[in-house]
Amino acid sequence: IVFFAMYLSPKIAGLIDAVLTKGGDATFGGPLRFAVSAAIEIVFSFLQGAVSSFRTTVFMIGLAFGKSVVWGGQSRDAYGISWRTAVESLWPQTLFGVVVCGLLLLIEPALFWWSLPLTAGYLLAVPFAVVTASPELGRAFERWGLAGIPEDFDPPKEVTAGLEAGGGSR
C-alpha cells in the first residue's frame, strides 16, 4: 500500500488538481476522455514501471561491477517495434516475471493474483512494448482524443500560426 501510494501520488495529485480546478477536466477533452485517459495512464504506468525498474536495477548492478551502459534513444515514434526486437530486448524482464509468478503460484495461488499489479508488467513486457509503440495506436488515441494535454484540444495561437505558416496540421 505504501509503495502504491508513493508510486501513484504524483499522478493522483495531478488528476485531483484537474478535477478540482473549474473546467480542468474540460481542458483534457471533457470528463469522459479525462477519466478514460486517467485510467489508461495508471494501467500503462504499472505495466511500464515493472520493465523500467528491472532495467534500472540491471543498470545499477552493472555499474557496481564497472560495466558502462549506454542509454540509446528510442526509435519507436514512426515505425513501432517488431515482435522480434521486443523479445530480444525484453526477454530478461519476461523471464523474471515467469519465474517470480511461477513461484508465487506454487507457494500460494492467491498471492499470485494479489501480485499482478506489480508483476503483470514483467509478463506482458513484450506485447505491451509492441502494442504501445504502434503508430496505429498513437493515431487512434489522437483521433479519439485520449491521453492528450490541454494544448492538444486548444492549441496556443502561436502554435496554430506556426502550423498554418508551415503548411502543417495538428
Side-chain angles (χ1 to χ4, degrees), residues 5 24 32 111 123:
L32 180 60
L111 187 57
L123 297 174

mmCIF file of all heavy atoms in Angstrom, residues 5 24 32 111 123:
data_model
loop_
_atom_site.group_PDB
_atom_site.id
_atom_site.type_symbol
_atom_site.label_atom_id
_atom_site.label_comp_id
_atom_site.label_asym_id
_atom_site.label_seq_id
_atom_site.Cartn_x
_atom_site.Cartn_y
_atom_site.Cartn_z
ATOM 1 N N ALA A 5 1.019 4.087 -2.885
ATOM 2 C CA ALA A 5 0.796 5.494 -2.541
ATOM 3 C C ALA A 5 1.944 6.365 -3.057
ATOM 4 O O ALA A 5 1.719 7.429 -3.641
ATOM 5 C CB ALA A 5 0.632 5.654 -1.036
ATOM 6 N N GLY A 24 -11.274 22.073 -15.340
ATOM 7 C CA GLY A 24 -9.998 21.378 -15.517
ATOM 8 C C GLY A 24 -10.097 20.157 -16.404
ATOM 9 O O GLY A 24 -9.291 19.976 -17.324
ATOM 10 N N LEU A 32 -15.366 12.532 -19.797
ATOM 11 C CA LEU A 32 -15.242 11.135 -20.216
ATOM 12 C C LEU A 32 -13.834 10.845 -20.729
ATOM 13 O O LEU A 32 -13.202 9.868 -20.322
ATOM 14 C CB LEU A 32 -16.287 10.782 -21.269
ATOM 15 C CG LEU A 32 -16.246 9.340 -21.780
ATOM 16 C CD1 LEU A 32 -16.470 8.359 -20.626
ATOM 17 C CD2 LEU A 32 -17.274 9.127 -22.869
ATOM 18 N N LEU A 111 -1.665 -15.418 -3.671
ATOM 19 C CA LEU A 111 -0.588 -14.426 -3.656
ATOM 20 C C LEU A 111 -0.238 -13.986 -5.075
ATOM 21 O O LEU A 111 0.036 -12.815 -5.325
ATOM 22 C CB LEU A 111 0.641 -15.002 -2.945
ATOM 23 C CG LEU A 111 1.806 -14.070 -2.694
ATOM 24 C CD1 LEU A 111 1.380 -12.858 -1.894
ATOM 25 C CD2 LEU A 111 2.922 -14.823 -1.986
ATOM 26 N N LEU A 123 5.381 -9.951 -17.163
ATOM 27 C CA LEU A 123 4.802 -10.975 -18.031
ATOM 28 C C LEU A 123 4.360 -10.405 -19.375
ATOM 29 O O LEU A 123 4.421 -11.081 -20.393
ATOM 30 C CB LEU A 123 3.602 -11.634 -17.341
ATOM 31 C CG LEU A 123 3.898 -12.391 -16.048
ATOM 32 C CD1 LEU A 123 2.599 -12.853 -15.405
ATOM 33 C CD2 LEU A 123 4.828 -13.567 -16.306
#
